[in-house]
Amino acid sequence: MIFKDYNPLEKKMLQIMDETGTIVKPELMPDLTDDEIKEIYRLMVKTRETDKKALMYQRQGRMLTYAPNLGQEAAQVASAFALEKRDWMVPAFRELGAWLTRGAELEMIYLYWYGNEFGSYVPEDLRILPVSVPIASHLQHAVGIAWAAKLQGKDEVAITYFGDGATSQGDFSESMNWAGVYKAPTVFFCQNNQFAISVPRGIQTAAETIAQKAIAFGMPGIQVDGNDIFAVYAATKEAVDRARRGEGPTLIEAYTYRLGAHTTSDDPTRYRSNDEVEEWSKRDPIDRLKKYLLSKGLLTEEEEAQIVEAYGKLAEEAFKYVEANGETQLEDIFKYHYKEMTPQLVEQMEEYKQFLRERGEI
Amino acid sequence: MIFKDYNPLEKKMLQIMDETGTIVKPELMPDLTDDEIKEIYRLMVKTRETDKKALMYQRQGRMLTYAPNLGQEAAQVASAFALEKRDWMVPAFRELGAWLTRGAELEMIYLYWYGNEFGSYVPEDLRILPVSVPIASHLQHAVGIAWAAKLQGKDEVAITYFGDGATSQGDFSESMNWAGVYKAPTVFFCQNNQFAISVPRGIQTAAETIAQKAIAFGMPGIQVDGNDIFAVYAATKEAVDRARRGEGPTLIEAYTYRLGAHTTSDDPTRYRSNDEVEEWSKRDPIDRLKKYLLSKGLLTEEEEAQIVEAYGKLAEEAFKYVEANGETQLEDIFKYHYKEMTPQLVEQMEEYKQFLRERGEI
Amino acid sequence: MAAINLLQAVNEALRQEMKRDPRVIVFGEDVGYEGGVFRATVDLQKEFGKDRCMDSPLAESAIVGVGIGMAINGMIPVVEMQFSGFSYPAFNQIISHVARMRNRSRGRYTVPMVIRMPYGGGIRALEHHSESPEAFFAHIPGLKVVMPSTPYDTKGLLAAAIRDEDPVIFLEPKRIYRAFKQEVPEEDYIIPIGKAKVVREGTDITLIAWGAMMRETLKAAELAAEKGIHPEVIDLRTIAPIDRDTVIASVKKTGRAIIVHEAPKTGGIGGELMAIINEKAFLHLEAPPTRVTGFDTPFPLPRGEQHYLPSPERILVKIQEVVNYLT
Amino acid sequence: MAAINLLQAVNEALRQEMKRDPRVIVFGEDVGYEGGVFRATVDLQKEFGKDRCMDSPLAESAIVGVGIGMAINGMIPVVEMQFSGFSYPAFNQIISHVARMRNRSRGRYTVPMVIRMPYGGGIRALEHHSESPEAFFAHIPGLKVVMPSTPYDTKGLLAAAIRDEDPVIFLEPKRIYRAFKQEVPEEDYIIPIGKAKVVREGTDITLIAWGAMMRETLKAAELAAEKGIHPEVIDLRTIAPIDRDTVIASVKKTGRAIIVHEAPKTGGIGGELMAIINEKAFLHLEAPPTRVTGFDTPFPLPRGEQHYLPSPERILVKIQEVVNYLT
Ligand SMILES: Cc1ncc(C[n+]2csc(CCOP(=O)(O)OP(=O)(O)O)c2C)c(N)n1
Ligand SMILES: Cc1ncc(C[n+]2csc(CCOP(=O)(O)OP(=O)(O)O)c2C)c(N)n1
Ligand SMILES: [Mg+2]
Ligand SMILES: [Mg+2]
């Protein structure tokens, strides 16, 4: 229903809660209990606090490169919240919030950014693919997962996350197109955070919205206020439901902003103004939800402080674990390429171990 | 103007002359003199006759693989006719009509299909790129040519030809998207001939039209009756003019049908019905224009017969030349990879020549 | 046992594996309704339905990329690149994901997928239709690369590839798709990946080839035999990982080696084999290992291709050169 | 003469060539306004304007493909792949068009283009950021492949690449972008493509390396010298076409050779060099040429990368092995 009323060509963007935390479209308010809304809030705070800690560890030289989430918590948490456990998530690399929402352990996530492949060893009961670095390439995998589910009669939907920059890649179009043809139950979730590293959204495409790209592939597309959990959730839920009903894929553009750096290697002051960043800070997705919760009496300032503190502690514990257990074991470099190591790999590993042994290093 | 009135999302297809050769939209009739219309007719007949001969030579085992044009003459000739000499054409592999319209010699074209690289040695005064086989990859080149023209302040437009199948490739979207961003003066001319080898248009995309894909890239798109030279010419001319004025690229979908085989290696009876082919034969683009010309007194049956015969002869002469001159010279295999041959290539060539010399073969 | 050609062997292996395992699914450009431009998948859609064998949109990166997702979600995709020269748009998916998903996820996600592609020249085809890209794939850790040369091997190797839990690039010698027939068991069987085969025993020199070049190489061996030189001929069958044991055992015996391939010389698998021979059998060498290959040029259009492809005669000249080295 | 690092040398060569020739144009992801994620193109947009140095949409196939068109229409595009591991989406454009346009059109259309990319490991980076793909490009006829190892060479080789009328893949050793400075002439100069350089003379063994591995190799040579072994060290500089003369002359002198590269062993350039040495200097060999390389695995994430990269110590052990071969 929403999709019909929010045609991107008419420049309509779905917003349910405005920047003051006021519900401006009560008739579109999704079916979320107060507990669920509170849970979304908690996950957003968890995302923010653990994100902050990761940045801090990185600055201390203890974590490696890291891609911060600041500002995108609503887009990630509220969208992932619309999935069922049996559904699949196919992330890019900036989806801490979505990972946490789906139940991933912080240890694993930190381990990845710490620089150890075991950080991508997703437990069997979680349907999340590893971080995917080559931009837009993973969208194809989401379509394959979704299509395979459909062909096997499994009731599973795949959601895939990507940025505004990703929409310029051939793989974006190929995968959307394929999903359209075969009605693969896929949700294409674009976090338009206005930048691909230093390149502003206007250089990625002449289309006025990213949502309208859906038209090229015969599927619905919608632009939503990416800092409004209700808009994000409502659109994602509708897309997931459509997919589940066999009606095919949807493109969602979550209009948001990356408040932090692209990654810890990046200095955003080089390419954008503080004014712009401040402007967007005022639309902070967590502040907005907090205002809503406060006004509804669902949260107090003290409770907030407690939540923040608890997640800070959690992050510290998790990182402590990672620092204690994060070194790569030599054999692991060789062991996982094939079901069984090839003779070449065995030889290379043995030769290298021999080298280390002779030097007394193992 | 036309683009505004023919929104593909409203399922509007531009037709100016209907199947009986009657002008149904006189107000949109393009500015073509009778002589020019006649010239278009001649080029279409030239295309058909030389296409037929190529097929015949192929069946006799004298020509190699060949990709026939039958049914697509209007789309090709009328679109290429809208270009100026200084403009560029970036073809796929089924553009005999467009090549001839731009003034390419039949000898060169036949030489290509005869299997000799010199068939792609386009004379300096023609701005046509060689046949490009990897589907959709050449669209990127058209954008580069157009953008370079713009950056250098040269008044040149690039048109690129491709099929319905090509629209599924990443390169299609990437190039359209880029052209949109940098307003490269490019005309994307899709001959939707309903098939990509055996795969029908419906499996390429869920979009109802190919024209609407333009929306994803922030440019106008229009669907035209590809068997109506006036519709094709009018839309292409408008697109070329727009590009020239600096207003950016356009996507044109010429709705047509491949009446022949995909290539001479293909047997289309395997995947489509004779009824469908017959249905489309009735919309033959040459017949249609002929009716128009006859009704206007611009052509007689005798004159037509003469034209047909003359082009048949031309084809015979051209092929005679090719058969006499078409063998690849050994050194040419090595000579053109680099400005100067690498020592490796010199050695390989010399070693091979030595081999031939010892056997008395050279 | 029926006599079938190499193309029929492909078709038979696909059919038997689809029957054996419902997870096996076949797709690619034109492979569904039409049964493939070479007819390798003919009748599979009829037999197994549109959900087991289907036409894809024209997009190689998607064919592979979507296949990855399907593999992760429980299926065994056997996809076709219409020609190996059209696999390059899928290169990123192959190198960045097909080959790495298992390692990236430390075994949590695997890609038991087969990417079939007709390869090689000699069929008087248009540009890009005659490529031999095995060296690219062999340099990508995480893949296996298989190139059969006979109907019998094709059937057994393709079945093995489909059952393999790792991704396999399966390069089919299109030039000999229909060149000859061979008795092939009707029941299914496996030829292990990673094992080369000595197809002709000899003592004087080792010839190593694969795929379509086996015929040229075997002919060259015969010509040599007529001249009193007795080559041992190895069909490599698997290009990655290379069966070094078989190669080395033979070279240790003969002391001489020639590698034959269609691909351009520089950076081809010939160099890798020469390196392996150096590393493992240097002291047995009586002459430098060498190679007969395509030139360092793209494959010429048909009016030039006869020059490009290694011929039995070119191989023979090289055999004589190597055998007469320093004598 | 000012002392500059390798990254500054890239920037300086770009600036001087852009000044010299108005046809030179620079683009890629983030190269415009920001000046590149490594700052290789910094200030070029400021100096030459938005029409000479610009940001592209995020699409490598387009960056290369559009570049081809620009080259055909009179410009000299110097494009950047942000990391060599992200060049794979452009693989089809590179192999099918960049490398072939001249040959396809028998010289009518040429692609005088440079594709720059930072390559290699050792920078504690995320997946795909540490690749050494030179072997792929070297196996593509029609390309030249250049890999500099010093600021001085970088400036001269990049200028040569830009002036070259053929396409050049220019792989920059990002690990040493800022590792050291070197006196480099302020005026422009050229170092010819296709010429290797003997950077250390020696008699006992030839070490061949390029790019970032030069430092490890030179250190290994020093360590060896301390032990009384005197390696000759060659900086290959151009990977395609390989300067066989310099390599062969050295090996003929020393009788021994080791090739060092970061890329996976199988199918790497090491094998090709070993093959060349066999074909051209076999009788001079006192031991089999061999190689010290990355493993046949993708580049590990940072907590494992120290194991992967050839180190001076690993090279030294191999030197001793080769020098002591059979003695
Ligand atoms: C194929 C490829 N090219 C380049 C890169 C380098 N890179 C990493 S992130 C990025 C920008 C991505 O922008 P966007 O898709 O908007 O996502 P965001 O970073 O904003 O979340 C680039 C260019 C890459 N990872 N993959
Ligand atoms: C990258 C690539 N993949 C596959 C092919 C094989 N192929 C040649 S033509 C063709 C179909 C093209 O269909 P379309 O774009 O509609 O053009 P048409 O043949 O109808 O003119 C295919 C799949 C190719 N040439 N390039
Ligand atoms: Mg972004
Ligand atoms: Mg078509």
Side-chain angles (χ1 to χ4, degrees):
Chain A
M1 326 297 94
I2 309 180
F3 298 158
K4 292 239 172 70
D5 297 335
Y6 284 83
N7 181 347
L9 290 181
E10 293 165 5
K11 305 201 204 328
K12 286 190 182 162
M13 186 197 292
L14 176 66
Q15 188 189 62
I16 294 175
M17 173 171 67
D18 74 8
E19 296 171 26
T20 68
T22 311
I23 302 303
V24 292
K25 290 272 177 198
E27 70 279 17
L28 297 180
M29 210 32 197
D31 198 15
L32 285 166
T33 65
D34 284 350
D35 276 356
E36 286 170 328
I37 297 171
K38 194 86 183 277
E39 174 64 11
I40 289 175
Y41 174 75
R42 263 192 225 98
L43 285 162
M44 286 167 71
V45 175
K46 184 174 182 182
T47 304
R48 180 153 303 177
E49 297 308 313
T50 54
D51 192 67
K52 269 192 209 157
K53 289 281 183 193
L55 272 172
M56 186 191 78
Y57 294 126
Q58 201 281 336
R59 255 182 253 116
Q60 295 169 351
R62 297 157 73 192
M63 192 88 118
L64 301 172
T65 318
Y66 178 71
N69 282 232
L70 192 69
Q72 300 179 217
E73 296 89 350
Q76 299 197 12
V77 173
S79 58
F81 205 81
L83 300 173
E84 301 296 329
K85 180 110 185 145
R86 66 184 177 282
D87 296 328
W88 292 79
M89 168 175 136
V90 182
F93 52 85
R94 196 191 298 288
E95 276 77 40
L96 172 62
W99 283 84
L100 293 173
T101 304
R102 298 229 75 206
E105 297 290 341
L106 197 55
E107 280 82 358
M108 183 184 70
I109 300 171
Y110 276 1
L111 187 59
Y112 175 80
W113 296 103
Y114 189 72
N116 183 317
E117 284 82 355
F118 268 102
S120 296
Y121 182 75
V122 182
E124 287 286 338
D125 65 333
L126 289 186
R127 290 185 162 175
I128 311 179
L129 256 53
V131 162
S132 181
V133 172
I135 301 295
S137 58
H138 59 294
L139 276 63
Q140 308 268 27
H141 312 162
V143 175
I145 285 174
W147 193 32
K150 182 178 166 182
L151 289 172
Q152 294 171 106
K154 299 195 279 192
D155 173 20
E156 297 165 6
V157 169
I159 190 170
T160 181
Y161 290 89
F162 53 97
D164 42 313
T167 65
S168 299
Q169 287 279 15
D171 275 351
F172 163 79
S173 294
E174 289 189 11
S175 57
M176 297 257 299
N177 191 57
W178 188 302
V181 170
Y182 280 111
K183 285 194 181 300
T186 323
V187 180
F188 294 91
F189 193 90
C190 178
Q191 294 181 74
N192 173 5
N193 65 4
Q194 313 303 333
F195 286 92
I197 311 186
S198 73
V199 179
R201 154 66 183 79
I203 293 182
Q204 290 305 336
T205 182
E208 287 199 62
T209 65
I210 285 170
Q212 78 195 53
K213 289 177 181 280
I215 295 168
F217 313 110
M219 67 177 77
I222 187 171
Q223 193 181 50
V224 305
D225 179 339
N227 290 6
D228 166 8
I229 62 153
F230 298 119
V232 171
Y233 179 85
T236 314
K237 187 71 171 62
E238 185 163 318
V240 169
D241 290 347
R242 271 193 85 237
R244 231 186 268 298
R245 287 195 303 268
E247 293 166 27
T250 307
L251 171 63
I252 298 172
E253 173 187 1
Y255 196 82
T256 182
Y257 194 83
R258 158 164 68 70
L259 287 170
H262 168 70
T263 66
T264 46
S265 321
D266 175 54
D267 172 8
T269 63
R270 281 192 202 132
Y271 53 81
R272 63 189 190 183
S273 71
N274 281 335
D275 288 1
E276 184 181 292
V277 179
E278 262 170 46
E279 208 40 59
W280 273 95
S281 298
K282 291 182 199 148
R283 301 185 219 165
D284 186 296
I286 296 187
D287 283 359
R288 191 188 298 195
L289 182 55
K290 180 178 158 189
K291 283 177 200 151
Y292 172 87
L293 292 172
L294 289 173
S295 76
K296 294 265 164 189
L298 294 168
L299 182 76
T300 63
E301 295 281 358
E302 303 77 64
E303 199 186 343
E304 190 205 11
Q306 283 165 13
I307 296 175
V308 166
E309 208 198 310
Y311 287 129
K313 285 235 177 74
L314 186 87
E316 283 165 26
E317 304 270 295
F319 191 67
K320 204 183 289 173
Y321 173 85
V322 165
E323 273 196 324
N325 298 280
E327 282 318 304
T328 294
Q329 298 306 305
L330 175 57
E331 299 207 347
D332 291 346
I333 294 180
F334 300 91
K335 256 168 57 180
Y336 293 98
H337 293 296
Y338 299 94
K339 178 121 196 279
E340 281 181 47
M341 275 167 67
T342 62
Q344 279 81 350
L345 282 171
V346 172
E347 181 184 275
Q348 290 170 24
M349 184 176 78
E350 289 308 328
E351 189 182 334
Y352 182 62
K353 279 164 104 175
Q354 182 60 23
F355 165 79
L356 293 177
R357 244 180 254 119
E358 277 166 17
R359 302 166 51 82
E361 293 181 12
I362 54 169
Chain B
M1 329 293 95
I2 308 179
F3 298 159
K4 293 237 171 70
D5 297 333
Y6 284 82
N7 182 346
L9 290 181
E10 293 165 5
K11 305 198 206 328
K12 286 192 183 159
M13 186 198 290
L14 175 66
Q15 187 188 61
I16 295 175
M17 172 171 66
D18 74 8
E19 295 171 27
T20 67
T22 310
I23 302 304
V24 291
K25 290 271 176 200
E27 70 279 17
L28 297 179
M29 214 23 202
D31 199 14
L32 285 167
T33 64
D34 284 350
D35 275 356
E36 286 171 327
I37 298 171
K38 194 89 182 273
E39 175 63 11
I40 289 175
Y41 174 75
R42 261 191 227 100
L43 285 162
M44 286 167 71
V45 175
K46 184 174 182 182
T47 305
R48 180 154 301 177
E49 296 308 313
T50 54
D51 192 68
K52 268 192 210 159
K53 290 281 183 191
L55 272 172
M56 185 191 81
Y57 294 127
Q58 200 282 336
R59 257 183 251 114
Q60 295 169 352
R62 296 158 73 191
M63 192 87 119
L64 301 171
T65 318
Y66 178 72
N69 282 232
L70 192 69
Q72 300 178 217
E73 296 89 350
Q76 299 198 10
V77 173
S79 59
F81 205 82
L83 300 173
E84 301 296 328
K85 180 112 186 145
R86 66 183 176 283
D87 295 328
W88 292 78
M89 167 175 137
V90 183
F93 52 84
R94 196 190 298 288
E95 277 76 42
L96 172 62
W99 283 84
L100 293 175
T101 304
R102 298 227 77 208
E105 297 289 340
L106 196 55
E107 279 82 359
M108 184 184 67
I109 300 171
Y110 276 0
L111 187 58
Y112 175 82
W113 296 104
Y114 190 72
N116 184 319
E117 284 82 354
F118 267 102
S120 295
Y121 181 75
V122 182
E124 287 286 338
D125 65 331
L126 288 186
R127 292 186 160 173
I128 312 179
L129 256 54
V131 162
S132 180
V133 172
I135 300 295
S137 57
H138 59 294
L139 276 64
Q140 309 268 28
H141 313 163
V143 175
I145 286 174
W147 194 30
K150 182 177 165 181
L151 289 172
Q152 295 171 107
K154 299 195 280 192
D155 174 20
E156 297 164 7
V157 170
I159 190 169
T160 180
Y161 290 90
F162 53 97
D164 43 313
T167 65
S168 298
Q169 287 280 17
D171 275 352
F172 163 79
S173 294
E174 289 190 9
S175 57
M176 296 257 300
N177 191 56
W178 188 302
V181 169
Y182 280 111
K183 285 195 184 297
T186 323
V187 180
F188 294 92
F189 193 90
C190 178
Q191 295 179 72
N192 172 6
N193 64 5
Q194 313 303 333
F195 285 92
I197 309 188
S198 72
V199 180
R201 154 69 182 77
I203 292 182
Q204 291 305 336
T205 183
E208 285 198 65
T209 65
I210 284 170
Q212 77 195 52
K213 289 177 180 283
I215 295 168
F217 312 110
M219 68 176 76
I222 187 170
Q223 193 180 51
V224 304
D225 179 339
N227 290 7
D228 165 9
I229 62 154
F230 298 117
V232 170
Y233 179 86
T236 313
K237 188 71 171 62
E238 186 163 317
V240 169
D241 290 348
R242 273 192 84 237
R244 231 185 268 297
R245 287 194 303 267
E247 293 167 25
T250 307
L251 171 63
I252 298 171
E253 174 187 0
Y255 196 81
T256 181
Y257 195 83
R258 158 165 67 70
L259 287 171
H262 169 69
T263 66
T264 45
S265 321
D266 175 53
D267 172 9
T269 62
R270 282 192 202 130
Y271 53 79
R272 64 187 190 185
S273 72
N274 280 336
D275 288 0
E276 184 182 293
V277 179
E278 261 170 47
E279 208 40 62
W280 273 95
S281 298
K282 292 183 199 147
R283 302 184 218 165
D284 186 296
I286 296 186
D287 283 357
R288 193 187 300 194
L289 182 55
K290 180 178 156 188
K291 282 178 202 151
Y292 171 86
L293 291 173
L294 289 173
S295 76
K296 294 265 166 191
L298 294 169
L299 182 76
T300 62
E301 296 281 359
E302 302 77 64
E303 199 184 345
E304 189 206 12
Q306 281 164 15
I307 296 176
V308 166
E309 206 199 311
Y311 287 130
K313 284 233 176 76
L314 186 87
E316 282 165 25
E317 304 271 293
F319 191 67
K320 203 183 288 173
Y321 173 85
V322 165
E323 273 196 324
N325 298 281
E327 281 317 304
T328 294
Q329 298 305 306
L330 175 55
E331 299 206 346
D332 291 346
I333 295 180
F334 300 90
K335 257 168 58 180
Y336 293 99
H337 293 296
Y338 298 95
K339 178 122 195 280
E340 281 180 48
M341 274 166 68
T342 62
Q344 280 80 351
L345 281 172
V346 173
E347 182 185 274
Q348 289 171 25
M349 185 177 77
E350 289 308 328
E351 190 183 330
Y352 182 61
K353 279 164 101 176
Q354 182 60 23
F355 165 78
L356 292 178
R357 243 181 254 119
E358 277 166 19
R359 302 167 52 83
E361 292 181 14
I362 53 170
Chain C
M1 295 241 277
I4 59 175
N5 64 30
L6 202 148
L7 192 62
Q8 290 167 319
V10 170
N11 188 259
E12 207 168 294
L14 290 172
R15 175 176 296 106
Q16 290 185 347
E17 292 304 306
M18 289 177 85
K19 236 185 223 160
R20 194 187 53 78
D21 189 338
R23 297 173 304 166
V24 176
I25 181 171
V26 168
F27 58 95
E29 296 155 13
D30 303 285
V31 309
Y33 190 78
E34 168 169 53
V37 295
F38 285 105
R39 329 285 297 137
T41 57
V42 74
D43 289 338
L44 297 179
Q45 185 174 87
K46 218 181 275 169
E47 184 166 345
F48 298 99
K50 275 198 175 180
D51 282 358
R52 297 285 305 284
C53 175
M54 63 273 266
D55 291 314
S56 73
L58 208 176
E60 287 79 10
S61 180
I63 293 171
V64 173
V66 168
I68 292 168
M70 301 183 89
I72 286 172
N73 200 4
M75 306 193 88
I76 299 177
V78 182
V79 304
E80 178 177 298
M81 306 275 98
Q82 198 159 83
F83 287 81
S84 64
F86 304 134
S87 68
Y88 306 133
F91 199 71
N92 186 42
Q93 288 291 345
I94 293 173
I95 189 168
S96 299
H97 295 300
V98 171
R100 298 188 191 185
M101 191 58 83
R102 179 191 283 274
N103 182 61
R104 172 181 303 140
S105 68
R106 286 296 183 244
R108 164 68 167 99
Y109 294 113
T110 61
V111 183
M113 168 177 191
V114 179
I115 307 178
R116 292 180 42 243
M117 32 183 137
Y119 90 92
I123 59 155
R124 303 177 76 76
L126 294 175
E127 202 187 345
H128 311 283
H129 288 73
S130 304
E131 317 261 305
S132 294
E134 69 270 18
F136 297 123
F137 298 121
H139 188 48
I140 301 178
L143 301 180
K144 296 180 179 175
V145 182
V146 173
M147 297 173 86
S149 71
T150 66
Y152 180 84
D153 283 8
T154 297
K155 186 173 166 187
L157 284 165
L158 183 51
I162 294 171
R163 296 182 201 181
D164 202 292
E165 293 184 42
D166 288 306
V168 179
I169 307 286
F170 197 82
L171 292 155
E172 300 165 5
K174 65 169 122 44
R175 184 189 188 187
I176 55 171
Y177 260 159
R178 298 185 172 89
F180 60 97
K181 294 194 174 195
Q182 193 182 20
E183 298 280 316
V184 168
E186 264 146 50
E187 58 277 18
D188 66 328
Y189 60 93
I190 285 292
I191 295 182
I193 292 175
K195 293 269 167 273
K197 187 179 176 192
V198 176
V199 290
R200 179 184 175 118
E201 301 213 3
T203 47
D204 299 334
I205 183 169
T206 301
L207 308 180
I208 307 167
W210 51 88
M213 278 296 118
M214 284 313 300
R215 293 212 309 170
E216 275 57 36
T217 306
L218 283 166
K219 269 182 223 155
E222 257 167 57
L223 296 175
E226 286 167 18
K227 297 192 187 298
I229 304 170
H230 299 290
E232 179 141 306
V233 181
I234 293 177
D235 183 345
L236 200 58
R237 296 204 294 205
T238 295
I239 310 304
I242 287 176
D243 176 358
R244 299 180 300 179
D245 294 346
T246 301
V247 169
I248 295 308
S250 176
V251 176
K252 282 189 174 165
K253 182 170 78 174
T254 64
R256 294 176 158 87
I258 293 175
I259 299 103
V260 181
H261 61 66
E262 286 184 46
K265 182 175 193 174
T266 297
I269 294 298
E272 180 59 31
L273 281 160
M274 288 164 70
I276 290 170
I277 292 168
N278 267 258
E279 286 170 340
K280 304 279 178 201
F282 186 71
L283 289 180
H284 299 264
L285 290 177
E286 290 167 49
T290 187
R291 41 192 170 174
V292 181
T293 68
F295 307 127
D296 281 353
T297 70
F299 204 91
L301 291 189
R303 301 290 163 192
E305 74 175 353
Q306 73 282 12
H307 295 301
Y308 188 89
L309 283 170
S311 61
E313 293 72 25
R314 261 171 76 197
I315 302 168
L316 177 65
V317 168
K318 195 60 102 181
I319 292 173
Q320 291 171 312
E321 212 180 287
V322 173
V323 168
N324 295 327
Y325 189 76
L326 281 197
T327 61
Chain D
M1 297 242 275
I4 59 174
N5 64 30
L6 202 149
L7 192 61
Q8 290 167 318
V10 170
N11 188 259
E12 208 169 294
L14 290 173
R15 175 177 297 105
Q16 290 184 347
E17 291 304 306
M18 287 176 85
K19 236 185 222 158
R20 194 187 52 78
D21 189 339
R23 296 172 304 165
V24 177
I25 181 170
V26 168
F27 59 96
E29 295 155 13
D30 302 286
V31 309
Y33 190 78
E34 168 169 53
V37 295
F38 286 103
R39 329 283 298 137
T41 56
V42 75
D43 289 338
L44 296 180
Q45 186 174 86
K46 219 181 276 167
E47 184 167 346
F48 298 98
K50 275 198 175 179
D51 282 356
R52 296 284 306 281
C53 175
M54 63 272 268
D55 291 315
S56 73
L58 209 175
E60 288 79 9
S61 180
I63 292 171
V64 173
V66 168
I68 292 167
M70 300 183 89
I72 287 172
N73 200 4
M75 307 193 87
I76 299 178
V78 183
V79 304
E80 178 177 297
M81 306 275 97
Q82 198 160 82
F83 287 81
S84 63
F86 304 134
S87 68
Y88 307 132
F91 199 71
N92 186 42
Q93 288 291 344
I94 293 173
I95 189 169
S96 299
H97 296 301
V98 172
R100 299 188 191 186
M101 191 59 82
R102 179 191 282 275
N103 182 61
R104 173 181 303 142
S105 68
R106 286 296 184 244
R108 163 69 166 100
Y109 294 112
T110 62
V111 182
M113 169 178 193
V114 179
I115 306 177
R116 292 180 43 243
M117 32 185 138
Y119 90 91
I123 58 157
R124 302 178 76 76
L126 295 175
E127 202 188 344
H128 311 284
H129 288 72
S130 305
E131 318 262 305
S132 295
E134 70 269 20
F136 297 124
F137 298 122
H139 188 47
I140 301 178
L143 302 178
K144 296 180 180 177
V145 182
V146 174
M147 297 173 87
S149 71
T150 66
Y152 181 84
D153 282 7
T154 297
K155 186 174 166 186
L157 284 165
L158 183 51
I162 294 172
R163 297 182 200 180
D164 202 291
E165 293 184 42
D166 288 306
V168 178
I169 307 287
F170 197 83
L171 290 155
E172 299 166 5
K174 65 169 119 47
R175 184 189 188 187
I176 55 170
Y177 259 160
R178 298 185 171 89
F180 61 95
K181 294 194 173 192
Q182 192 181 20
E183 299 279 317
V184 168
E186 265 147 49
E187 57 278 17
D188 64 331
Y189 59 94
I190 285 292
I191 295 183
I193 292 175
K195 292 269 167 272
K197 187 180 176 190
V198 176
V199 291
R200 180 185 175 117
E201 300 212 1
T203 47
D204 299 335
I205 183 169
T206 301
L207 307 180
I208 307 168
W210 50 89
M213 278 296 119
M214 283 314 300
R215 294 213 307 169
E216 275 55 36
T217 306
L218 283 165
K219 270 183 222 154
E222 258 168 56
L223 296 175
E226 285 168 19
K227 297 194 190 295
I229 303 171
H230 299 289
E232 179 142 307
V233 181
I234 294 178
D235 183 345
L236 199 60
R237 296 204 295 205
T238 294
I239 310 304
I242 288 175
D243 176 0
R244 299 180 300 178
D245 293 346
T246 301
V247 169
I248 295 309
S250 177
V251 176
K252 283 189 173 165
K253 181 169 77 172
T254 64
R256 294 176 158 87
I258 293 174
I259 299 104
V260 181
H261 61 66
E262 286 185 46
K265 183 176 193 173
T266 297
I269 294 298
E272 179 61 29
L273 281 160
M274 288 164 70
I276 290 170
I277 292 168
N278 267 258
E279 286 169 340
K280 305 279 178 202
F282 186 72
L283 290 180
H284 299 264
L285 290 176
E286 290 167 48
T290 187
R291 43 193 169 174
V292 182
T293 68
F295 306 128
D296 282 352
T297 70
F299 204 91
L301 291 190
R303 301 290 163 191
E305 75 175 352
Q306 72 282 11
H307 296 300
Y308 188 90
L309 283 170
S311 62
E313 293 72 25
R314 261 172 75 198
I315 301 168
L316 177 64
V317 168
K318 196 60 103 181
I319 291 173
Q320 291 172 311
E321 213 180 286
V322 173
V323 168
N324 296 326
Y325 189 78
L326 280 197
T327 61

